[in-house]
Amino acid sequence: MNFRIFGHWHVAAAALAVIATASAQVAEAQRGPGAASVFVSPVQETEFSMQIEALGTLEARESVDLTLNVADRVTAIYFDDGDRVTKGKTLLSLAQGEQAALVDAAEATANEARQRFERTQQLAKERTVSQSALDEAARDLSAANAQLRAVQSRQKDRVLVAPFDGVLGFRLVSVGSYVRAGDVVAELIDDSEMKLDFSVPSIFLRSVRKGTEVQVETDDLPGMAFDGTVDTVGASIDPVTRSIRVRAILPNPDRLLKPGMFMKVTLLADPRRALSVPEEAIEPIGPNSFVYIAADKNGQLVAERREIQVGLRQDGQVEVISGLEPGEQIITDGLIRVRDGAPIVVRDRTVLQTGGGIASAGAANGG
């Protein structure tokens, strides 16, 4: 009994194989003799830009050596190495005793002058003093106020405050040390953004402008890339190197970038979206470039050669300036057997994994 079942199954399988073979032969006959098997890809838009490479060194957005305008002994320090500070924060103060006494004296003089002016003003209204006496009291008040502002200003010079937000470098003084006018107390840098200066050949002058995007990398931070924009283009061309100076600004929210880093710069000039085809789909003949498209001619897929004008090449894609329309199916693989006007068979790329699959004419044309 088991042998009979096995025999029937074997006969059925053989019959199915014959039917499948006959169907394949009929389909092949419909496609026409000598049809080349190809893969296609649609014409689509891609981002293109001219890439200009350069080298540069990072600088902080702002950098200053903190100094004092007067000489005296340090009485208090309110920061440490590497502290982040905000604008206006008090960092250091010098001895205030003598200067505080001068401020007190100037305030007393100014108060006395104001009181004298007010009395003279009242007497002038009663016409018991002359106008010249009132004018003299007004001059004395103005002089006393000016003197007060001067000593107050000198008192402020004895206190060092942060001129902007940033990070401090190493502290170079200690409490009790004597500092002279102009001695550096510490370095303060604003690293919220970084400046990157570099040079590009003058032939790219029309392609580089304020707002042009840049991408930068550094060996100090392998595997990381940073984006920025051009902020300034130099006003003159170097007559020796025939290059122009460019400055880009790089945001630095994570504070990873440091002044002095050596950077590799790529400018993305003239960014645009354009039609593109895979590089391997192009057949160069002399100075001209051609591609083959899959065209439906009376229900039969054929290869149609088309001359195109190409532009930039970028990441395996070629910019098409003219000659193609969006959505057209470009033959990318199997070109060795393709001839203009010859029949083709468009295969699905899944055939590479599944071992089979032929696309219909309607599918190849998006139908």
Side-chain angles (χ1 to χ4, degrees):
M1 182 67 176
N2 291 336
F3 288 108
R4 283 199 295 272
I5 293 173
F6 177 78
H8 289 312
W9 177 87
H10 184 73
V11 171
L16 290 173
V18 171
I19 293 172
T21 301
S23 298
Q25 290 174 348
V26 171
E28 189 67 32
Q30 291 175 347
R31 289 192 295 269
S37 296
V38 298
F39 295 107
V40 298
S41 177
V43 178
Q44 54 191 0
E45 287 190 343
T46 304
E47 292 282 352
F48 285 94
S49 59
M50 183 186 301
Q51 297 188 357
I52 307 169
E53 296 184 347
L55 300 172
T57 302
L58 282 182
E59 298 178 11
R61 178 186 180 184
E62 300 289 349
S63 178
V64 64
D65 288 334
L66 298 173
T67 61
L68 291 159
N69 295 329
V70 295
D72 213 323
R73 200 165 301 279
V74 177
T75 56
I77 295 177
Y78 306 102
F79 72 95
D80 209 343
D81 301 343
D83 281 356
R84 289 201 169 273
V85 297
T86 57
K87 180 179 179 179
K89 175 180 170 56
T90 300
L91 304 176
L92 175 148
S93 63
L94 301 180
Q96 296 280 351
E98 180 180 356
Q99 193 64 36
L102 292 175
V103 170
D104 291 342
E107 287 178 344
T109 302
N111 288 334
E112 182 181 355
R114 183 174 60 258
Q115 293 171 1
R116 185 183 308 114
F117 172 74
E118 291 173 351
R119 288 196 302 268
T120 306
Q121 191 177 40
Q122 182 62 36
L123 293 173
K125 291 179 180 179
E126 297 172 358
R127 298 183 180 277
T128 57
V129 296
S130 64
Q131 182 62 39
S132 61
L134 179 60
D135 293 341
E136 183 179 357
R139 286 194 299 271
D140 291 343
L141 177 59
S142 297
N145 286 333
Q147 179 64 24
L148 175 60
R149 289 193 297 270
V151 294
Q152 287 175 336
S153 177
R154 287 195 292 270
Q155 186 179 39
K156 288 181 180 179
D157 287 343
R158 307 178 76 82
V159 177
L160 181 64
V161 298
F164 51 79
D165 296 351
V167 60
L168 291 162
F170 292 110
R171 176 165 57 86
L172 302 179
V173 297
S174 300
V175 173
S177 61
Y178 185 85
V179 295
R180 293 167 297 182
D183 283 354
V184 176
V185 173
E187 181 186 23
L188 176 65
I189 64 171
D190 178 2
D191 58 354
S192 60
E193 293 180 336
M194 304 300 288
K195 296 186 295 189
L196 179 60
D197 289 0
F198 52 92
S199 297
V200 298
S202 59
I203 58 173
F204 297 119
L205 181 60
R206 297 183 64 181
S207 300
V208 180
R209 59 183 64 87
K210 184 179 178 68
T212 299
E213 294 184 359
V214 300
Q215 294 177 346
V216 300
E217 298 177 346
T218 175
D219 292 338
D220 299 327
L221 298 170
M224 301 186 71
F226 302 88
D227 297 326
T229 56
V230 171
D231 183 66
T232 307
V233 178
S236 61
I237 296 173
D238 189 313
V240 177
T241 62
R242 308 310 304 171
S243 62
I244 190 165
R245 217 52 192 156
V246 178
R247 170 170 291 174
I249 300 296
L250 308 177
N252 190 29
D254 298 325
R255 305 302 195 268
L256 294 175
L257 299 175
K258 305 293 183 184
M261 281 184 171
F262 188 67
M263 311 299 290
K264 302 171 186 176
V265 188
T266 302
L267 284 92
L268 306 178
D270 297 330
R272 59 194 178 276
R273 290 188 64 83
L275 297 181
S276 68
V277 297
E279 198 166 12
E280 63 271 15
I282 295 179
E283 181 182 61
I285 300 179
N288 302 320
S289 297
F290 297 86
V291 295
Y292 286 92
I293 66 171
D296 185 4
K297 300 293 185 181
N298 300 321
Q300 171 69 59
L301 279 178
V302 298
E304 179 183 308
R305 192 170 76 167
R306 188 84 60 81
E307 183 176 359
I308 61 173
Q309 183 180 358
V310 300
L312 294 178
R313 296 173 184 260
Q314 182 175 303
D315 299 329
Q317 294 289 313
V318 179
E319 180 185 18
V320 178
I321 298 174
S322 64
L324 292 175
E325 297 295 331
E328 288 187 304
Q329 300 291 327
I330 300 299
I331 299 176
T332 59
D333 297 283
L335 289 169
I336 192 170
R337 294 186 56 201
V338 171
R339 297 292 181 270
D340 188 23
I344 57 173
V345 178
V346 176
R347 294 192 178 274
D348 195 314
R349 289 192 179 274
T350 56
V351 72
L352 300 176
Q353 288 80 32
T354 63
I358 300 176
S360 67
N365 289 280

